[in-house]
């Protein structure tokens, strides 16, 4: 719970600054690049977070990485603040909350679509349009396959789950037959 509170506080602060100068998307991208780099390079993450190394050495490394990535002065200062407050380890959570804030501002919803087989482009587009109409916002989708579904599609948009899978329909039919309901 503390991590989520910390993540929200820092993400909201960065978002406020980004909205003031209109560069909130750029700041989000820079934060994402740095966060992904830390996750992809465990040695870098260890060097930045491990107290075995002196604060000065770690700070120099942070500044060097920020310089190599050509981060904006604001994101650079944000990372230094996180470092000074010993909150750099919370960066993945901060990045996640920040992305949610950007999505909210852009009226964008992220959908996770699961199907038994790959969906063709026409079907993906029709599904995206239906989800946009249903949620009254722009929708970006991630696709995954699950052969166990047998057929159909399950779409998750935030808390909303639209389950049109054959597996679920068969389960519902089974339950109805067990209860003796007329189908």
């Amino acid at each position: 719970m503390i991590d989520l509170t910390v993540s929200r506080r820092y993400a909201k602060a960065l978002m406020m600054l980004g909205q003031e100068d209109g560069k909130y998307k750029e700041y989000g991208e820079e934060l994402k690049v740095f966060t992904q780099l830390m996750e992809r390079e465990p040695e870098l993450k260890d060097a930045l977070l491990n107290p075995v190394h002196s604060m000065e050495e770690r700070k120099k490394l942070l500044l060097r990485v920020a310089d190599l990535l050509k981060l904006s002065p604001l994101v650079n200062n944000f990372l230094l603040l996180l470092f000074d407050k010993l909150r750099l380890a919370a960066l993945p959570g901060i990045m996640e909350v920040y992305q949610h804030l950007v999505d909210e501002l852009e009226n964008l919803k992220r959908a996770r679509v699961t199907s038994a087989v790959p969906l063709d482009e026409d079907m993906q587009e029709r599904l995206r349009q239906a989800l946009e109409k249903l949620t009254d916002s722009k929708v970006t989708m991630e696709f995954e396959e699950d052969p166990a579904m047998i057929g159909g599609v399950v779409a998750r948009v935030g808390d909303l789950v639209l389950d049109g899978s054959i597996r679920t329909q068969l389960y519902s039919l089974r339950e109805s037959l067990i209860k003796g309901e007329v189908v």
Side-chain angles (χ1 to χ4, degrees):
M1 184 58 125
I2 292 173
D3 286 344
L4 187 57
T5 304
V6 167
S7 296
R8 276 195 198 122
R9 183 180 311 135
Y10 284 100
K12 283 181 180 181
L14 183 61
M15 176 56 77
M16 283 177 41
L17 294 170
Q19 283 181 287
E20 283 178 14
D21 64 10
K23 296 181 179 179
Y24 64 91
K25 278 186 177 178
E26 293 170 37
Y27 298 155
E29 284 304 312
E30 290 180 16
L31 206 57
K32 185 178 182 178
V33 166
F34 187 85
T35 304
Q36 288 174 340
L37 178 65
M38 275 186 56
E39 294 302 314
R40 197 173 55 242
E41 301 295 334
E43 296 86 14
L44 173 64
K45 185 176 183 177
D46 182 58
L48 288 171
L49 301 178
N50 194 334
V52 168
H53 309 288
S54 74
M55 286 287 280
E56 194 169 307
E57 288 174 343
R58 291 187 288 154
K59 192 175 224 174
K60 283 180 186 177
L61 177 61
L62 176 63
L63 290 169
R64 180 72 180 128
V65 171
D67 185 46
L68 289 171
L69 293 175
K70 297 181 179 9
L71 299 179
S72 62
L74 188 104
V75 172
N76 195 13
N77 288 339
F78 181 74
L79 291 172
L80 284 171
L81 175 69
L82 292 176
F83 179 81
D84 290 341
K85 298 289 183 180
L86 304 176
R87 299 288 191 202
L88 205 53
L91 197 54
I94 294 168
M95 181 61 235
E96 188 176 324
V97 172
Y98 192 85
Q99 186 61 56
H100 287 297
L101 293 172
V102 169
D103 289 351
E104 232 174 74
L105 203 59
E106 299 283 316
N107 193 27
L108 177 72
K109 303 280 186 199
R110 295 184 184 275
R112 178 169 217 74
V113 178
T114 308
S115 61
V117 296
L119 301 176
D120 62 33
E121 287 185 28
D122 180 52
M123 181 55 98
Q124 288 180 13
E125 182 59 24
R126 290 193 337 223
L127 184 58
R128 186 186 59 75
Q129 289 174 359
L131 291 174
E132 285 180 348
K133 187 175 181 183
L134 187 67
T135 62
D136 197 31
S137 58
K138 292 181 276 185
V139 173
T140 182
M141 300 185 300
E142 287 181 27
F143 295 94
E144 67 179 278
E145 295 171 33
D146 180 6
M149 286 179 56
I150 305 169
V153 174
V154 176
R156 290 176 179 79
V157 184
D159 294 338
L160 176 66
V161 177
L162 304 168
D163 191 339
S165 68
I166 292 178
R167 178 176 53 191
T168 300
Q169 292 173 20
L170 288 173
Y171 179 77
S172 295
L173 179 62
R174 177 179 168 255
E175 292 299 310
S176 294
L177 289 172
I178 289 172
K179 292 178 184 174
E181 297 174 357
V182 178
V183 180

